[in-house]
């Protein structure tokens, strides 16, 4: 994936005119990979290694993907420090954390394959932290029975992406940056390619492809306090699949990471919600309320700060609600009992970030509060193949649902990208034929309609800006589908969402197709689709499980051990449910053993 001039396989035709004054570039490829983070990169590597040259496209400059924001680590049962750990226990912990809504194939494929994927990354040059005897080091992460999380300080995601990009460059995999896909070209049963625009100069592009792999991330940035950049993770991957005819799964499950940065009045506002990696707690960080109480002793005396993310996030929210929070609406995270040299070595990014903001982690606590961080819901796929049910369309990474169930183990997101990315790439490579894909007339007409709609969007001259809609939308979801939910709030959220949709009729886009304002305007349709799915899924699920907490249904219900599916119907969004499969006998045996993190090893 070379970061210089794009190398595009197949046919590239500049300036195609459809007769209605809409010009576009046309590119023909066997496989189009939409998304250039770890999942897209690993899928592309598998395709290339199996004789198929894909084209990878990303919305940002080369190497600038959301993967780089995953700091703390990647899980694999290597047993570097705890020899008794194995893949079945990793799978058992994943099931436990997911409250048994996980896809069994998804969980067990990731857990079983990850030791090999870590060794592979090591062979490709990833600079893992090492133990004194040279093994890949591993740290504790929340709700895991053993030290299983491999890491590169607190920049693990960045190191993974650098390693994968380096391997892709070695293989000369074509890459094209600054391209945004706005619609998949699908007739509801098969996908034929994608339509979008070049964000650098604004020209339209049609990609004709035999197969399309969506690796475009999740939707945590729909919330006003989140750990993503504002212009990323706005739901384009799941929304594109939904509009193409695929089903979404469990969209109600949004993970609120316990420790986002609390906005300090003295800081630039961009820091609000930025992640304070779980590695701080994994290395012994402690949580205190404004009264100086180590409050996790009340909520989780055994696992303390390293209990599951949903447990810790709700505990913090409760402390703030009951007036034991900080003046800025959070709690304190303190690792000052560790030596400065230890913090600088194990948490260099966190240490340097807070130093720049005038906070010394080695001598004082930092303020934190929950922040929308990861979305367990997404596209419904077959994890052995990546298939979505729409012929030719596949998905991988945070765009999909299934591995994490109702809540995600920290360190499993990066694991999913490389474990499943490889499998999906290998499967898609076997499906590629020798025929050059062509675009049916109906799909070409669909692309033309899409481009005319984008032209009309660019010309919008109303009174409401896309940024205003984004901000209002983010508050709406936080208020109505945040950490604590109920029927009244969810129904009110749906009503407010409809009102907000209507406001877009008065949209004003201050800029051409190369502007951030236009990108934000394009995002709105994705956001409305996925936001509605979150609210409707949360309303449908009348129980509390994992990251989904209904104050009017505060208990977990055996009757709700099922997934909620969302599909586009003739009259709007349609919801249904289906049962969940069971663990394999060997993983069930690990579950029966009842392995559990002993937090006090850290004391």
């Amino acid at each position: 994936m070379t970061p210089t001039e794009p190398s595009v396989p197949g046919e590239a035709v500049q300036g195609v005119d459809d007769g209605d004054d809409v010009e576009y570039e046309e590119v023909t490829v066997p496989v189009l990979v939409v998304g250039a983070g770890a999942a897209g990169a690993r899928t592309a590597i598998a395709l290339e290694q199996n004789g198929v040259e894909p084209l990878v496209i990303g919305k940002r400059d080369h190497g600038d993907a959301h993967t780089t924001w995953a700091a703390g680590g990647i899980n694999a049962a290597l047993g570097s420090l705890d020899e008794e750990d194995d893949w079945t226990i990793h799978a058992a912990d994943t099931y436990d954390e997911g409250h048994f809504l996980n896809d069994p194939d998804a969980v067990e494929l990731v857990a079983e394959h990850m030791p090999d994927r870590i060794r592979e990354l090591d062979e490709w040059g990833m600079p893992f932290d090492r133990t004194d005897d040279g093994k890949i080091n591993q740290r504790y992460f929340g709700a895991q029975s053993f030290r299983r999380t491999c890491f590169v300080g607190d920049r693990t995601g960045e190191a993974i992406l650098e390693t994968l990009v380096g391997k892709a460059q070695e293989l000369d995999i074509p890459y094209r940056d600054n391209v945004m896909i706005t619609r998949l070209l699908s007739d509801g049963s098969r996908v034929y390619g994608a339509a979008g625009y070049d964000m650098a100069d604004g020209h339209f592009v049609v990609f004709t492809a035999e197969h399309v792999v969506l690796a475009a991330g999740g939707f945590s940035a729909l919330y006003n306090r989140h750990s993503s950049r504002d212009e990323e993770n706005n739901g384009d991957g799941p929304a594109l699949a939904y509009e193409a005819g695929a089903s979404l799964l469990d969209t109600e499950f949004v993970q609120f990471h316990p420790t986002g940065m609390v906005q300090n009045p003295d800081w630039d506002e961009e820091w609000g919600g930025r992640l304070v990696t779980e590695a701080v707690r994994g290395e012994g960080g402690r949580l205190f309320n404004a009264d100086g109480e180590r409050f996790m002793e009340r909520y989780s005396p055994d696992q303390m700060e390293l209990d599951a993310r949903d447990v810790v996030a709700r505990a913090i929210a409760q402390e703030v609600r009951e007036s034991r929070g900080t003046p800025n609406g959070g709690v304190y995270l303190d690792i000052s009992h560790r030596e400065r040299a230890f913090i600088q070595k194990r948490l260099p990014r966190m240490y340097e970030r807070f130093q720049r903001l005038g906070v010394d982690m080695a001598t004082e606590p930092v303020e934190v509060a929950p922040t929308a961080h990861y979305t367990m819901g997404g596209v419904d796929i077959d994890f052995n193949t990546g298939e979505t049910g729409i012929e030719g369309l596949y998905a991988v990474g945070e765009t999909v649902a299934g591995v994490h169930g109702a809540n995600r183990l920290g360190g499993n997101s990066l694991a999913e990208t490389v474990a499943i990315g490889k499998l999906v790439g290998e499967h898609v490579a076997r499906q590629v034929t020798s025929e050059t894909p062509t675009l049916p007339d109906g799909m070409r007409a669909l692309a033309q309609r899409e481009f005319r709609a984008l032209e009309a969007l660019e010309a919008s001259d109303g009174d409401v800006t896309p940024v205003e809609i984004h901000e209002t939308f983010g508050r709406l979801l936080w208020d109505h589908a945040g950490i604590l939910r109920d029927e009244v709030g969810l129904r009110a959220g749906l009503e407010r969402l409809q009102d907000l949709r209507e406001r877009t009729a008065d949209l004003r886009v201050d800029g051409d197709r190369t502007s951030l304002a236009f990108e934000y305007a394009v995002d709105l349709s994705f956001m409305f689709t996925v936001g509605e799915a979150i609210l409707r899924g949360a309303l449908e699920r009348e129980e509390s499980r994992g990251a989904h907490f209904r104050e009017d249904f505060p208990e977990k219900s055996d009757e709700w051990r099922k997934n909620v599916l969302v599909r586009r119907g003739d009259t709007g969004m349609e919801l249904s449910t289906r049962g969940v499969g069971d663990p394999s006998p060997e993983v069930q045996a690990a579950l029966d053993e009842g392995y559990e993190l002993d937090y006090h090893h850290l004391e």
Side-chain angles (χ1 to χ4, degrees):
M1 293 190 289
T2 53
T4 54
E5 291 297 316
S7 170
V8 181
E11 177 189 4
V13 180
Q14 295 283 346
V16 177
D17 188 334
D18 75 348
D20 290 320
D21 299 321
V22 178
E23 294 188 350
Y24 54 89
E25 174 190 2
E26 185 164 353
V27 177
T28 302
V29 294
V31 181
L32 180 69
V33 179
V34 181
R42 189 61 188 87
T43 302
I45 290 168
L47 283 160
E48 186 70 36
Q49 290 178 326
N50 286 273
V52 175
E53 184 174 72
L55 172 63
V56 181
I57 59 174
K59 289 196 298 186
R60 302 288 170 251
D61 292 339
H62 184 66
D64 183 16
H66 192 256
T67 302
T68 62
W69 289 46
I74 178 171
N75 294 335
L78 295 179
S80 296
L81 300 176
D82 299 317
E83 293 182 359
E84 60 269 50
D85 194 18
D86 69 25
W87 77 266
T88 63
I89 305 172
H90 181 187
D93 286 350
T94 303
Y95 277 120
D96 275 333
E97 178 70 349
H99 296 261
F100 295 89
L101 285 190
N102 323 61
D103 181 308
D105 286 342
V107 171
E108 298 182 23
L109 285 168
V110 169
E112 188 169 8
H113 282 261
M114 272 314 298
D116 285 342
R117 298 289 71 75
I118 291 293
R119 287 187 278 267
E120 180 179 69
L121 287 168
D122 190 33
E123 290 171 4
W124 292 352
M126 184 162 167
F128 287 109
D129 280 37
R130 300 279 175 173
T131 63
D132 291 341
D133 59 358
K135 295 178 181 178
I136 293 172
N137 206 353
Q138 298 186 278
R139 61 172 38 134
Y140 282 114
F141 249 35
Q144 302 201 50
S145 299
F146 297 105
R147 288 169 287 187
R148 179 182 298 136
T149 305
C150 312
F151 59 95
V152 180
D154 56 359
R155 57 175 292 271
T156 310
E158 182 179 345
I160 286 177
L161 190 59
E162 289 172 353
T163 303
L164 293 174
V165 166
K167 184 64 176 179
Q169 289 175 330
E170 177 187 313
L171 296 171
D172 292 323
I173 295 175
Y175 173 87
R176 184 161 170 172
D177 57 9
N178 296 305
V179 173
M180 186 170 187
I181 297 302
T182 62
R183 181 170 296 276
L184 297 180
L185 301 178
S186 168
D187 60 10
S189 60
R190 175 175 176 77
V191 70
Y192 297 89
Y197 70 99
D198 189 302
M199 303 168 79
D201 63 17
H203 79 269
F204 296 130
V205 190
V206 168
F207 296 95
T208 300
E210 185 178 0
H211 304 279
V212 176
V213 181
L214 283 174
F219 45 91
S220 60
L222 299 188
Y223 288 81
N224 67 330
R225 183 191 289 166
H226 59 81
S227 61
S228 300
R229 285 178 287 203
D230 288 342
E231 65 271 21
E232 293 184 359
N233 280 348
N234 283 310
D236 42 347
L240 286 166
Y242 173 88
E243 292 296 335
S247 293
L248 304 183
L249 182 79
D250 291 347
T251 50
E252 65 272 26
F253 292 112
V254 177
Q255 184 172 76
F256 298 92
H257 195 290
T259 56
M261 291 174 67
V262 169
Q263 184 57 42
N264 186 306
D266 296 330
W267 298 344
D268 185 288
E269 65 179 19
E270 73 174 30
W271 294 106
R274 191 76 65 83
L275 192 66
V276 179
T277 173
E278 186 168 306
V280 177
R281 287 176 289 129
E283 300 293 359
R286 301 165 178 172
L287 291 167
F288 296 90
N289 62 23
D291 297 333
E293 297 175 306
R294 196 172 173 192
F295 59 87
M296 286 307 299
E297 293 174 346
R298 281 198 298 275
Y299 299 94
S300 180
D302 294 327
Q303 294 180 304
M304 298 290 287
E305 286 85 1
L306 287 184
D307 205 334
R309 287 177 172 180
D310 62 309
V311 174
V312 181
R314 281 196 297 275
I316 294 172
Q318 191 69 18
E319 291 296 301
V320 173
R321 173 187 276 191
E322 295 179 2
S323 301
R324 293 188 294 273
T326 66
N328 294 316
V331 296
Y332 295 111
L333 175 61
D334 190 4
I335 196 170
S336 64
H337 58 285
R338 293 288 199 181
E339 295 291 332
R340 183 181 300 274
F342 177 89
I343 298 170
Q344 289 175 307
K345 179 181 178 181
R346 301 294 279 266
L347 303 164
R349 287 292 180 88
M350 289 291 100
Y351 180 82
E352 292 168 8
R353 178 190 296 175
F354 281 105
Q355 284 287 105
R356 291 197 303 271
L357 294 170
V359 178
D360 185 356
M361 292 183 72
T363 62
E364 58 188 312
V366 299
E367 284 186 84
V368 296
T371 184
H373 177 57
Y374 190 89
T375 46
M376 281 73 71
V379 183
D380 182 30
I381 67 165
D382 179 333
F383 273 85
N384 291 284
T385 63
E387 294 173 357
T388 64
I390 303 299
E391 188 178 353
L393 180 62
Y394 308 82
V396 67
E398 195 178 353
T399 294
V400 310
V403 172
H404 312 294
N407 204 24
R408 176 177 68 87
L409 276 179
N412 265 1
S413 58
L414 290 174
E416 176 185 5
T417 64
V418 294
I420 303 302
K422 179 179 186 290
L423 297 176
V424 170
E426 290 171 345
H427 174 77
V428 175
R430 293 192 292 270
Q431 313 312 307
V432 173
T433 68
S434 59
E435 298 178 4
T436 301
T438 58
L439 196 63
D441 290 344
M443 294 298 98
R444 194 172 298 279
L446 177 61
Q448 293 161 2
R449 290 196 298 273
E450 177 68 8
F451 296 148
R452 285 192 286 271
L454 292 174
E455 287 179 330
L457 182 63
E458 181 184 11
S460 300
D461 61 353
D463 295 324
V464 182
T465 68
V467 170
E468 291 176 69
I469 300 291
H470 272 242
E471 291 174 349
T472 303
F473 184 95
R475 291 193 299 272
L476 184 161
L477 277 191
W478 190 271
D479 291 343
H480 297 282
I483 297 173
L484 305 175
R485 305 165 174 181
D486 61 31
E487 180 180 357
V488 172
L490 291 165
R491 291 194 184 280
L494 285 166
E495 292 176 4
R496 285 186 61 194
L497 184 65
Q498 182 57 35
D499 292 341
L500 198 56
R501 269 195 172 111
E502 293 171 2
R503 285 184 63 192
T504 61
D506 195 31
L507 202 64
R508 181 181 78 251
V509 177
D510 296 322
D512 62 16
R513 291 197 293 270
T514 66
S515 69
L516 189 59
F518 182 75
E519 180 185 343
Y520 275 27
V522 171
D523 280 337
L524 290 176
S525 65
F526 302 143
M527 294 168 62
F528 286 134
T529 295
V530 179
E532 181 180 351
I534 294 170
L535 289 159
R536 291 196 183 280
L539 189 60
E540 182 80 2
R541 184 173 292 281
E542 294 182 336
E543 66 159 352
S544 291
R545 184 184 294 261
H548 169 73
F549 190 83
R550 287 279 298 264
E551 292 187 285
D552 48 351
F553 294 96
E555 302 299 325
K556 187 189 304 184
S557 167
D558 290 342
E559 294 180 3
W560 270 103
R561 190 182 167 239
K562 52 190 175 183
N563 301 123
V564 174
L565 290 153
V566 179
R567 189 174 182 84
R568 182 182 179 186
D570 293 336
T571 59
M573 200 167 274
E574 296 179 352
L575 275 67
S576 60
T577 61
R578 75 172 182 218
V580 182
D582 294 318
S584 65
E586 55 265 53
V587 174
Q588 186 59 55
L591 284 162
D592 292 341
E593 286 290 333
Y595 295 98
E596 188 174 59
L597 165 74
D598 182 358
Y599 170 82
H600 299 286
H601 284 167
L602 286 174
E603 298 286 35

